[in-house]
Amino acid sequence: MLGLTSLWASILHIFLSNIASKSIGWKSNGFETEIGFVNFGLFVLGVMSASNKTSSGFKLATIIITSIFLLLAAANHIKSAIVEKNYALNNIGTILIHDFGTPIILITSFVLLYCKKSIKK
């Protein structure tokens, strides 16, 4: 999940930054490319974390950095809506489901998987 959504976001923000900015209600200024680079890093972490050979500590670190990034991005989208009256679909629409939902799913999955493993020991 993290790998695919991050890959899509990186492609959109790096190669189609003008479209991405407009859909979010922002003016394109090059910052979108940097957001694309962050998302590409999250894509790499997501792919690496999917391996059964990856340690639980690495997976947890991936979840933490992803959750911080997405939850703060969600806060920024909400601030933009309140302060700047930016109600663009990709500022205050389904992006918020993604930005809040992904950390909830990742954290819940990790807790359920690793609590189950520790109970079996």
Side-chain angles (χ1 to χ4, degrees):
M1 177 176 113
L2 172 61
L4 292 177
T5 58
S6 296
L7 178 60
W8 169 248
S10 68
I11 291 169
L12 183 66
H13 284 283
I14 293 170
F15 300 109
L16 303 169
S17 60
N18 289 335
I19 294 169
S21 294
K22 187 176 180 180
S23 75
I24 299 169
W26 296 345
K27 292 180 181 171
S28 183
N29 63 9
F31 184 69
E32 301 81 6
T33 305
E34 293 182 25
I35 296 297
F37 296 156
V38 170
N39 275 288
F40 188 75
L42 294 177
F43 161 70
V44 172
L45 289 174
V47 169
M48 292 174 69
S49 293
S51 169
N52 288 334
K53 295 180 182 181
T54 304
S55 72
S56 60
F58 184 88
K59 291 178 184 190
L60 181 58
T62 299
I63 291 168
I64 290 169
I65 192 63
T66 300
S67 297
I68 290 169
F69 173 71
L70 292 175
L71 292 171
L72 289 175
N76 193 48
H77 286 294
I78 293 168
K79 180 187 129 261
S80 178
I82 293 169
V83 174
E84 300 161 13
K85 308 289 188 237
N86 178 0
Y87 302 114
L89 179 62
N90 285 324
N91 184 57
I92 201 74
T94 56
I95 191 66
L96 290 179
I97 295 169
H98 173 266
D99 287 356
F100 284 115
T102 299
I104 290 169
I105 291 168
L106 291 174
I107 293 166
T108 302
S109 298
F110 183 86
V111 168
L112 292 174
L113 179 65
Y114 287 96
C115 284
K116 184 178 176 181
K117 283 184 178 181
S118 66
I119 291 171
K120 285 184 178 181
K121 289 182 179 180

